[in-house]
Coordinates of all heavy atoms in Angstrom, one line a residue:
E1 N -67.6 39.9 111.5 CA -67.4 38.7 112.3 C -68.4 38.7 113.5 O -69.0 37.7 113.8 CB -66.0 38.5 112.7 CG -65.9 37.2 113.4 CD -64.4 37.0 113.8 OE1 -63.5 37.8 113.5 OE2 -64.1 35.9 114.4
D2 N -68.6 39.8 114.0 CA -69.5 39.9 115.2 C -70.9 39.6 114.8 O -71.7 38.9 115.5 CB -69.4 41.3 115.9 CG -68.2 41.5 116.6 OD1 -67.4 40.6 116.9 OD2 -67.8 42.7 116.8
I3 N -71.4 40.1 113.7 CA -72.7 39.9 113.2 C -73.0 38.3 112.9 O -73.9 37.7 113.2 CB -73.2 40.7 112.1 CG1 -73.1 42.2 112.5 CG2 -74.5 40.4 111.5 CD1 -73.3 43.2 111.4
F4 N -71.9 37.7 112.3 CA -71.9 36.3 112.1 C -72.1 35.6 113.3 O -72.9 34.7 113.4 CB -70.7 35.9 111.2 CG -70.7 34.4 111.1 CD1 -71.4 33.8 110.0 CD2 -70.0 33.6 112.0 CE1 -71.4 32.4 109.8 CE2 -70.0 32.2 111.8 CZ -70.7 31.6 110.7
D5 N -71.2 35.9 114.3 CA -71.2 35.2 115.6 C -72.6 35.2 116.3 O -73.1 34.3 116.9 CB -70.1 35.8 116.5 CG -68.7 35.4 116.1 OD1 -68.7 34.4 115.3 OD2 -67.8 36.0 116.5
V6 N -73.3 36.4 116.2 CA -74.6 36.6 116.9 C -75.6 35.7 116.2 O -76.5 35.2 116.9 CB -75.0 38.1 116.8 CG1 -76.4 38.2 117.1 CG2 -74.2 38.9 117.7
T7 N -75.4 35.6 114.9 CA -76.4 34.7 114.2 C -76.0 33.2 114.3 O -76.9 32.3 114.5 CB -76.4 35.1 112.7 OG1 -76.7 36.5 112.6 CG2 -77.5 34.4 111.9
A8 N -74.8 32.9 114.2 CA -74.3 31.5 114.1 C -74.4 30.7 115.4 O -74.5 29.5 115.4 CB -72.9 31.4 113.6
C9 N -74.6 31.5 116.5 CA -74.8 30.8 117.8 C -76.0 29.9 117.9 O -76.1 29.0 118.7 CB -74.7 31.8 118.9 SG -76.1 32.8 119.0
Y10 N -76.9 30.1 116.9 CA -78.1 29.3 116.9 C -78.0 28.0 116.1 O -78.8 27.1 116.1 CB -79.2 30.0 116.3 CG -79.7 31.2 117.1 CD1 -79.2 32.5 116.8 CD2 -80.4 31.0 118.3 CE1 -79.6 33.5 117.7 CE2 -80.8 32.1 119.2 CZ -80.3 33.3 118.8 OH -80.7 34.3 119.6
F11 N -76.7 27.8 115.5 CA -76.4 26.6 114.8 C -75.8 25.5 115.7 O -75.0 25.8 116.4 CB -75.5 26.8 113.6 CG -75.2 25.6 112.7 CD1 -76.0 25.3 111.8 CD2 -74.1 24.9 113.0 CE1 -75.8 24.1 111.0 CE2 -73.9 23.7 112.3 CZ -74.7 23.4 111.3
P12 N -76.3 24.3 115.7 CA -77.4 23.7 114.9 C -78.7 24.0 115.6 O -78.8 24.0 116.8 CB -77.1 22.2 114.8 CG -76.4 22.0 116.1 CD -75.6 23.2 116.4
I13 N -79.8 24.1 114.8 CA -81.1 24.3 115.4 C -81.7 23.0 115.7 O -81.7 22.0 114.9 CB -82.0 25.1 114.4 CG1 -81.6 26.5 114.3 CG2 -83.5 24.9 114.9 CD1 -82.4 27.5 113.5
T14 N -82.2 22.9 116.9 CA -82.8 21.6 117.4 C -84.3 21.8 117.9 O -84.8 21.1 118.6 CB -82.0 20.9 118.5 OG1 -81.9 21.9 119.6 CG2 -80.6 20.6 118.0
F15 N -84.9 22.8 117.3 CA -86.2 23.2 117.7 C -87.2 22.2 117.3 O -87.3 21.6 116.2 CB -86.6 24.6 117.0 CG -88.0 25.0 117.2 CD1 -88.3 25.7 118.4 CD2 -88.9 24.8 116.3 CE1 -89.6 26.1 118.7 CE2 -90.3 25.3 116.5 CZ -90.6 25.9 117.7
K16 N -88.1 21.9 118.3 CA -89.3 21.1 118.0 C -90.5 21.9 118.6 O -90.5 22.3 119.8 CB -89.2 19.7 118.7 CG -88.1 18.9 118.1 CD -88.1 17.5 118.7 CE -86.9 16.8 118.0 NZ -86.7 15.4 118.4
A17 N -91.5 22.1 117.7 CA -92.6 22.9 118.1 C -93.4 22.1 119.1 O -93.5 20.9 119.1 CB -93.5 23.2 116.9
P18 N -94.0 22.9 120.1 CA -94.9 22.2 121.1 C -96.1 21.7 120.4 O -96.5 22.2 119.3 CB -95.2 23.3 122.1 CG -94.9 24.6 121.4 CD -93.9 24.3 120.3
P19 N -96.8 20.7 121.0 CA -98.0 20.2 120.4 C -99.1 21.3 120.3 O -99.1 22.2 121.2 CB -98.4 19.2 121.5 CG -97.3 18.8 122.3 CD -96.4 20.0 122.2
N20 N -99.8 21.3 119.3 CA -101.0 22.3 119.2 C -100.4 23.7 119.0 O -101.0 24.6 119.5 CB -101.9 22.3 120.3 CG -102.5 20.9 120.4 OD1 -102.9 20.2 119.4 ND2 -102.7 20.4 121.6
D21 N -99.2 23.8 118.4 CA -98.6 25.1 118.2 C -99.4 26.0 117.3 O -99.6 25.6 116.1 CB -97.1 25.0 117.7 CG -96.5 26.3 117.3 OD1 -96.8 27.3 118.0 OD2 -95.6 26.3 116.5
P22 N -100.0 27.1 117.7 CA -100.8 27.9 116.9 C -100.1 28.7 115.8 O -100.8 29.1 114.8 CB -101.5 28.9 117.9 CG -100.5 29.0 119.0 CD -99.7 27.7 119.1
H23 N -98.8 28.7 115.9 CA -98.1 29.5 114.9 C -97.6 28.7 113.7 O -97.3 29.2 112.6 CB -96.8 30.2 115.6 CG -97.2 31.0 116.8 ND1 -97.8 32.2 116.6 CD2 -97.0 30.9 118.0 CE1 -98.1 32.8 117.8 NE2 -97.6 31.9 118.7
G24 N -97.5 27.4 113.9 CA -97.2 26.5 112.7 C -95.7 26.6 112.3 O -95.3 26.2 111.2
I25 N -94.8 27.1 113.2 CA -93.4 27.2 112.9 C -92.8 25.8 113.2 O -93.0 25.3 114.2 CB -92.7 28.3 113.7 CG1 -93.3 29.6 113.3 CG2 -91.2 28.3 113.5 CD1 -92.8 30.7 114.3
T26 N -92.0 25.3 112.3 CA -91.4 24.0 112.4 C -89.9 24.2 112.6 O -89.3 25.3 112.3 CB -91.6 23.1 111.2 OG1 -91.0 23.7 110.1 CG2 -93.2 23.0 110.9
G27 N -89.2 23.1 113.1 CA -87.8 23.2 113.1 C -87.1 23.4 111.7 O -86.1 24.1 111.5
E28 N -87.8 22.8 110.7 CA -87.3 22.9 109.3 C -87.4 24.4 108.9 O -86.5 24.9 108.1 CB -88.0 22.0 108.3 CG -87.6 20.5 108.5 CD -86.2 20.3 108.3 OE1 -85.5 20.8 107.4 OE2 -85.6 19.5 109.2
D29 N -88.5 25.1 109.3 CA -88.6 26.5 108.9 C -87.5 27.3 109.5 O -86.9 28.1 108.9 CB -89.9 27.1 109.5 CG -91.1 26.5 108.8 OD1 -91.1 26.1 107.6 OD2 -92.2 26.5 109.5
M30 N -87.2 27.0 110.8 CA -86.1 27.7 111.5 C -84.7 27.4 110.9 O -83.9 28.3 110.8 CB -86.1 27.4 113.0 CG -87.4 27.9 113.6 SD -87.5 27.7 115.4 CE -86.5 29.1 115.9
K31 N -84.5 26.1 110.5 CA -83.2 25.8 109.9 C -83.0 26.5 108.6 O -81.9 27.0 108.3 CB -83.2 24.2 109.7 CG -83.0 23.4 111.0 CD -83.0 21.9 110.6 CE -82.8 21.1 111.9 NZ -82.8 19.7 111.6
E32 N -84.2 26.5 107.8 CA -84.1 27.2 106.5 C -83.8 28.7 106.6 O -83.0 29.2 105.9 CB -85.4 26.9 105.7 CG -85.3 27.5 104.3 CD -84.4 26.7 103.4 OE1 -84.0 25.6 103.7 OE2 -83.9 27.3 102.4
G33 N -84.4 29.3 107.6 CA -84.2 30.7 107.8 C -82.8 31.0 108.3 O -82.1 32.0 107.8
L34 N -82.2 30.2 109.2 CA -80.9 30.4 109.6 C -79.9 30.1 108.5 O -78.9 30.9 108.3 CB -80.6 29.4 110.8 CG -79.1 29.6 111.4 CD1 -78.9 31.0 111.9 CD2 -78.8 28.6 112.5
K35 N -80.2 29.1 107.7 CA -79.3 28.8 106.5 C -79.2 30.0 105.6 O -78.2 30.4 105.1 CB -79.7 27.6 105.8 CG -78.9 27.2 104.6 CD -79.4 25.9 104.0 CE -80.8 26.1 103.3 NZ -81.2 24.9 102.5
K36 N -80.5 30.6 105.3 CA -80.5 31.8 104.4 C -79.7 32.9 105.0 O -79.1 33.6 104.2 CB -81.9 32.1 104.1 CG -82.7 31.2 103.2 CD -84.1 31.7 103.0 CE -84.9 30.7 102.1 NZ -86.3 31.1 101.9
A37 N -79.8 33.1 106.3 CA -79.1 34.2 106.9 C -77.6 34.0 106.8 O -76.8 35.0 106.5 CB -79.6 34.4 108.4
L38 N -77.1 32.8 107.1 CA -75.7 32.5 107.2 C -75.1 32.4 105.8 O -73.8 32.5 105.6 CB -75.4 31.2 108.0 CG -75.8 31.3 109.4 CD1 -75.5 30.0 110.1 CD2 -74.9 32.4 110.1
S39 N -75.9 32.2 104.7 CA -75.3 32.2 103.4 C -75.7 33.4 102.6 O -75.6 33.4 101.4 CB -75.8 30.9 102.7 OG -77.2 30.9 102.5
S40 N -76.2 34.4 103.2 CA -76.8 35.6 102.6 C -75.6 36.5 102.0 O -76.0 37.3 101.1 CB -77.7 36.3 103.5 OG -76.8 36.9 104.6
T41 N -74.4 36.4 102.4 CA -73.3 37.3 102.0 C -72.0 36.6 101.9 O -71.8 35.7 102.8 CB -73.2 38.6 102.9 OG1 -72.1 39.3 102.5 CG2 -73.1 38.2 104.4
S42 N -71.2 36.9 101.1 CA -69.9 36.4 101.0 C -69.0 36.7 102.2 O -68.1 35.9 102.6 CB -69.2 36.8 99.7 OG -69.0 38.2 99.7
L43 N -69.4 37.7 102.9 CA -68.6 38.1 104.1 C -68.8 36.9 105.2 O -67.9 36.8 106.1 CB -69.1 39.4 104.7 CG -68.9 40.6 103.8 CD1 -69.6 41.8 104.3 CD2 -67.5 40.9 103.5
F44 N -69.8 36.2 105.1 CA -70.1 35.1 106.1 C -69.5 33.8 105.6 O -69.4 32.8 106.4 CB -71.6 34.9 106.3 CG -72.2 36.0 107.1 CD1 -73.6 36.0 107.3 CD2 -71.4 37.0 107.8 CE1 -74.3 37.0 108.0 CE2 -72.1 38.0 108.5 CZ -73.4 38.0 108.7
C45 N -69.3 33.6 104.4 CA -68.9 32.3 103.8 C -67.8 31.6 104.5 O -67.9 30.5 104.8 CB -68.6 32.5 102.3 SG -68.2 31.0 101.4
G46 N -66.7 32.3 104.7 CA -65.5 31.7 105.3 C -65.8 31.3 106.8 O -65.4 30.2 107.2
Y47 N -66.5 32.2 107.5 CA -66.9 31.8 108.9 C -67.8 30.6 108.9 O -67.6 29.8 109.8 CB -67.6 33.0 109.5 CG -66.7 34.2 109.6 CD1 -67.2 35.5 109.1 CD2 -65.4 34.3 110.2 CE1 -66.4 36.6 109.1 CE2 -64.7 35.4 110.2 CZ -65.2 36.6 109.7 OH -64.5 37.7 109.8
A48 N -68.7 30.6 108.0 CA -69.7 29.5 108.0 C -68.9 28.2 107.7 O -69.2 27.1 108.4 CB -70.8 29.7 106.9
I49 N -68.1 28.2 106.6 CA -67.4 26.9 106.3 C -66.5 26.5 107.5 O -66.4 25.3 107.9 CB -66.5 27.1 105.1 CG1 -67.5 27.2 103.9 CG2 -65.6 26.0 104.8 CD1 -66.9 27.5 102.5
D50 N -65.8 27.5 108.2 CA -65.0 27.1 109.3 C -65.8 26.5 110.4 O -65.4 25.5 111.0 CB -64.2 28.3 109.8 CG -63.0 28.7 109.0 OD1 -62.6 28.0 108.1 OD2 -62.6 29.9 109.1
M51 N -66.9 27.1 110.6 CA -67.9 26.6 111.7 C -68.3 25.2 111.4 O -68.4 24.3 112.2 CB -69.1 27.5 111.8 CG -70.1 27.0 112.8 SD -71.5 28.0 112.9 CE -72.4 27.6 111.3
V52 N -68.6 24.9 110.1 CA -69.2 23.6 109.7 C -68.0 22.5 109.9 O -68.3 21.4 110.4 CB -69.8 23.7 108.3 CG1 -70.0 22.2 107.8 CG2 -71.0 24.4 108.3
I53 N -66.9 22.9 109.4 CA -65.7 21.9 109.6 C -65.6 21.6 111.0 O -65.3 20.4 111.3 CB -64.5 22.5 108.9 CG1 -64.7 22.6 107.4 CG2 -63.3 21.7 109.3 CD1 -63.6 23.4 106.7
E54 N -65.5 22.6 111.9 CA -65.3 22.4 113.3 C -66.4 21.4 113.9 O -66.2 20.6 114.6 CB -65.2 23.7 114.0 CG -65.0 23.5 115.5 CD -64.8 24.9 116.2 OE1 -64.3 25.8 115.6 OE2 -65.5 25.1 117.3
T55 N -67.6 21.8 113.5 CA -68.8 21.1 114.0 C -68.8 19.6 113.5 O -68.9 18.7 114.3 CB -70.1 21.7 113.6 OG1 -70.1 23.1 114.1 CG2 -71.3 21.0 114.1
V56 N -68.5 19.4 112.3 CA -68.4 18.0 111.7 C -67.3 17.3 112.3 O -67.4 16.0 112.7 CB -68.3 18.1 110.2 CG1 -68.0 16.7 109.6 CG2 -69.6 18.6 109.5
E57 N -66.1 17.9 112.5 CA -65.0 17.2 113.1 C -65.3 16.7 114.6 O -64.8 15.7 115.0 CB -63.7 18.0 113.1 CG -63.2 18.2 111.8 CD -61.9 19.1 111.7 OE1 -61.8 19.9 112.7 OE2 -61.2 19.1 110.7
Q58 N -66.1 17.4 115.3 CA -66.5 17.2 116.6 C -67.6 16.0 116.7 O -67.8 15.4 117.7 CB -67.1 18.3 117.3 CG -66.0 19.3 117.7 CD -66.5 20.6 118.2 OE1 -67.7 20.7 118.5 NE2 -65.7 21.6 118.5
G59 N -68.4 15.8 115.6 CA -69.4 14.8 115.5 C -68.9 13.5 115.4 O -67.8 13.2 114.9
E60 N -69.7 12.5 116.0 CA -69.3 11.1 115.9 C -69.9 10.4 114.7 O -69.2 9.4 114.2 CB -69.8 10.4 117.2 CG -69.1 11.0 118.4 CD -69.6 10.3 119.6 OE1 -70.3 9.3 119.6 OE2 -69.3 10.8 120.7
D61 N -71.0 10.9 114.1 CA -71.6 10.2 113.0 C -71.8 11.1 111.9 O -72.3 12.2 111.9 CB -73.0 9.7 113.5 CG -73.8 8.9 112.5 OD1 -73.2 8.7 111.3 OD2 -74.9 8.5 112.7
S62 N -71.2 10.7 110.7 CA -71.3 11.6 109.6 C -72.7 11.7 109.0 O -72.9 12.5 108.1 CB -70.3 11.0 108.5 OG -70.8 9.7 108.0
K63 N -73.6 10.9 109.5 CA -75.0 11.0 109.0 C -75.9 11.7 110.0 O -77.0 11.8 109.8 CB -75.5 9.6 108.6 CG -74.7 9.0 107.5 CD -75.4 7.7 107.1 CE -74.5 7.0 106.0 NZ -75.0 5.8 105.6
D64 N -75.4 12.2 111.1 CA -76.2 12.9 112.1 C -76.7 14.2 111.5 O -76.2 14.7 110.5 CB -75.5 13.1 113.4 CG -74.4 14.1 113.4 OD1 -74.2 14.8 112.4 OD2 -73.8 14.3 114.5
S65 N -77.8 14.7 112.1 CA -78.5 15.9 111.5 C -77.6 17.1 111.5 O -77.7 17.9 110.6 CB -79.8 16.1 112.3 OG -79.5 16.5 113.7
T66 N -76.7 17.2 112.5 CA -75.9 18.4 112.6 C -74.8 18.4 111.3 O -74.7 19.4 110.7 CB -75.0 18.4 113.8 OG1 -76.0 18.5 115.0 CG2 -74.1 19.6 113.9
T67 N -74.3 17.2 111.0 CA -73.5 17.1 109.9 C -74.2 17.4 108.6 O -73.8 18.2 107.7 CB -72.8 15.8 109.8 OG1 -72.0 15.5 111.0 CG2 -71.9 15.6 108.6
V68 N -75.4 16.9 108.5 CA -76.2 17.1 107.3 C -76.6 18.6 107.2 O -76.5 19.2 106.1 CB -77.5 16.2 107.3 CG1 -78.4 16.5 106.2 CG2 -77.1 14.7 107.2
D69 N -77.0 19.2 108.3 CA -77.4 20.6 108.3 C -76.2 21.4 107.9 O -76.2 22.4 107.2 CB -78.0 21.0 109.6 CG -79.3 20.4 109.9 OD1 -79.9 19.9 109.0 OD2 -79.7 20.4 111.1
G70 N -75.0 21.0 108.4 CA -73.7 21.8 108.1 C -73.4 21.7 106.7 O -73.0 22.8 106.0
L71 N -73.5 20.5 106.1 CA -73.1 20.4 104.6 C -74.1 21.1 103.8 O -73.8 21.7 102.7 CB -73.0 18.9 104.3 CG -71.8 18.2 105.0 CD1 -71.9 16.7 104.7 CD2 -70.5 18.8 104.6
D72 N -75.4 21.1 104.2 CA -76.5 21.9 103.5 C -76.1 23.4 103.6 O -76.3 24.1 102.6 CB -77.8 21.6 104.2 CG -79.0 22.1 103.4 OD1 -78.9 22.0 102.1 OD2 -79.9 22.5 103.9
L73 N -75.6 23.9 104.7 CA -75.2 25.2 104.8 C -74.0 25.6 103.8 O -74.0 26.6 103.2 CB -74.8 25.6 106.3 CG -74.2 27.0 106.5 CD1 -75.1 28.1 106.0 CD2 -73.8 27.1 107.9
V74 N -73.0 24.7 103.8 CA -72.0 24.9 102.9 C -72.4 24.9 101.4 O -72.0 25.8 100.7 CB -70.9 23.8 103.1 CG1 -69.8 23.9 101.9 CG2 -70.2 24.0 104.4
T75 N -73.3 24.1 101.1 CA -73.9 24.1 99.7 C -74.6 25.4 99.5 O -74.5 25.9 98.3 CB -74.9 22.9 99.5 OG1 -74.2 21.7 99.9 CG2 -75.5 22.9 98.2
S76 N -75.3 25.9 100.4 CA -76.0 27.2 100.2 C -75.0 28.4 100.0 O -75.2 29.2 99.3 CB -76.9 27.4 101.4 OG -78.0 26.6 101.4
C77 N -73.9 28.3 100.8 CA -72.9 29.3 100.6 C -72.3 29.3 99.3 O -72.1 30.3 98.6 CB -71.8 29.1 101.7 SG -72.2 29.6 103.3
I78 N -72.0 28.1 98.8 CA -71.4 27.9 97.4 C -72.4 28.4 96.4 O -72.0 29.0 95.4 CB -70.9 26.5 97.2 CG1 -69.7 26.1 98.2 CG2 -70.5 26.2 95.8 CD1 -69.4 24.7 98.2
A79 N -73.6 28.1 96.6 CA -74.7 28.4 95.5 C -75.2 29.9 95.6 O -75.8 30.3 94.7 CB -75.8 27.4 95.7
S80 N -74.8 30.6 96.6 CA -75.3 31.9 96.9 C -74.8 32.9 95.7 O -73.6 32.9 95.4 CB -74.8 32.5 98.3 OG -75.2 33.8 98.4
P81 N -75.7 33.7 95.2 CA -75.3 34.6 94.2 C -74.4 35.7 94.7 O -73.7 36.3 93.9 CB -76.6 35.2 93.7 CG -77.7 34.8 94.6 CD -77.2 33.7 95.5
S82 N -74.3 35.8 96.0 CA -73.4 36.9 96.6 C -72.0 36.4 96.7 O -71.1 37.2 97.0 CB -73.9 37.4 97.9 OG -73.8 36.4 98.9
V83 N -71.7 35.1 96.6 CA -70.4 34.5 96.7 C -69.8 34.3 95.3 O -70.4 33.6 94.4 CB -70.5 33.2 97.4 CG1 -69.2 32.5 97.5 CG2 -71.0 33.4 98.8
H84 N -68.7 34.8 95.1 CA -67.9 34.8 93.8 C -66.9 33.7 93.8 O -66.5 33.2 94.9 CB -67.3 36.2 93.5 CG -68.3 37.3 93.5 ND1 -69.6 37.2 93.1 CD2 -68.1 38.5 93.9 CE1 -70.2 38.4 93.2 NE2 -69.4 39.1 93.8
A85 N -66.5 33.3 92.7 CA -65.5 32.2 92.6 C -64.2 32.5 93.3 O -63.6 31.7 93.9 CB -65.2 31.9 91.1
D86 N -63.8 33.8 93.3 CA -62.6 34.2 94.0 C -62.8 34.0 95.5 O -61.8 33.6 96.2 CB -62.3 35.7 93.8 CG -61.9 36.0 92.4 OD1 -61.6 35.0 91.6 OD2 -61.9 37.1 92.0
D87 N -64.0 34.2 96.0 CA -64.2 34.0 97.4 C -64.1 32.4 97.8 O -63.5 32.1 98.7 CB -65.6 34.4 97.9 CG -65.9 35.8 97.6 OD1 -65.0 36.7 97.8 OD2 -67.1 36.2 97.2
L88 N -64.6 31.6 96.9 CA -64.6 30.2 97.1 C -63.2 29.6 97.0 O -62.9 28.6 97.7 CB -65.6 29.5 96.1 CG -67.0 29.8 96.2 CD1 -67.8 29.2 95.2 CD2 -67.5 29.4 97.6
A89 N -62.4 30.2 96.2 CA -61.1 29.6 96.0 C -60.3 29.6 97.4 O -59.5 28.8 97.6 CB -60.2 30.5 95.0
T90 N -60.6 30.5 98.2 CA -60.0 30.6 99.6 C -60.5 29.5 100.5 O -59.7 28.9 101.3 CB -60.3 31.9 100.2 OG1 -59.8 33.0 99.3 CG2 -59.6 32.1 101.5
Y91 N -61.8 29.1 100.4 CA -62.4 28.3 101.3 C -62.5 26.8 100.9 O -62.5 25.9 101.8 CB -63.8 28.8 101.6 CG -63.8 30.2 102.1 CD1 -64.4 31.2 101.4 CD2 -63.1 30.7 103.2 CE1 -64.4 32.6 101.7 CE2 -62.9 32.0 103.6 CZ -63.7 33.0 102.8 OH -63.6 34.2 103.2
L92 N -62.6 26.6 99.6 CA -62.8 25.1 99.3 C -61.7 24.2 99.6 O -62.0 23.0 100.0 CB -63.1 25.1 97.7 CG -64.4 25.6 97.3 CD1 -64.6 25.6 95.7 CD2 -65.6 25.0 98.0
P93 N -60.4 24.6 99.7 CA -59.4 23.7 100.1 C -59.6 23.2 101.6 O -59.2 22.0 101.9 CB -58.1 24.4 100.0 CG -58.4 25.4 98.9 CD -59.8 25.8 99.1
K94 N -60.3 24.0 102.4 CA -60.5 23.6 103.8 C -61.5 22.4 103.8 O -61.6 21.7 104.8 CB -61.1 24.8 104.5 CG -60.2 25.9 104.7 CD -61.0 27.1 105.5 CE -60.1 28.2 105.5 NZ -60.7 29.3 106.3
L95 N -62.3 22.1 102.8 CA -63.2 21.1 102.8 C -62.7 19.7 102.4 O -63.5 18.8 102.4 CB -64.4 21.5 101.8 CG -65.2 22.8 102.2 CD1 -66.2 23.1 101.2 CD2 -65.9 22.6 103.6
R96 N -61.5 19.6 102.1 CA -60.9 18.3 101.7 C -61.0 17.4 102.9 O -60.9 17.6 104.0 CB -59.5 18.5 101.3 CG -59.4 19.2 99.9 CD -58.1 19.4 99.5 NE -58.2 19.6 98.0 CZ -57.3 19.1 97.2 NH1 -56.4 18.4 97.6 NH2 -57.5 19.3 95.9

């Protein structure tokens, strides 16, 4: 849980590269990297889903970027090869 918390504190990413950024890192690159990290293991799945539910419930617009990013994260968790059906059975009812 501690490792998840250290990583999840960056969600949602709102990074915008400065003009003329020589590194070429985009907000989408950072979002994708964080999504991969948070969905990389079944040990994070429950924490990620709980975080997304809490974040979405606090949002005012179901189409805002935080909600979209959160649902994208949940999709990645579900699709992750490290997450088994038994793991999902615990978490999917929370998404109703």
Side-chain angles (χ1 to χ4, degrees):
E1 183 176 0
D2 290 341
I3 294 172
F4 176 83
D5 289 341
V6 167
T7 308
C9 69
Y10 294 100
F11 181 86
I13 288 181
T14 58
F15 175 79
K16 292 185 182 179
N20 302 319
D21 177 27
H23 305 289
I25 298 171
T26 67
E28 288 303 313
D29 293 334
M30 295 185 79
K31 287 179 184 182
E32 186 66 24
L34 182 60
K35 180 177 71 174
K36 285 179 180 179
L38 294 176
S39 64
S40 66
T41 173
S42 62
L43 298 174
F44 289 171
C45 183
Y47 300 126
I49 290 172
D50 287 342
M51 177 186 70
V52 168
I53 290 170
E54 182 179 318
T55 302
V56 169
E57 286 176 345
Q58 292 175 359
E60 295 178 14
D61 183 359
S62 64
K63 295 181 182 178
D64 73 2
S65 64
T66 300
T67 299
V68 172
D69 292 344
L71 295 176
D72 193 34
L73 173 57
V74 170
T75 302
S76 291
C77 286
I78 291 169
S80 174
S82 70
V83 177
H84 306 325
D86 293 342
D87 300 323
L88 294 176
T90 304
Y91 306 118
L92 290 179
K94 295 179 180 182
L95 296 174
R96 290 182 158 217

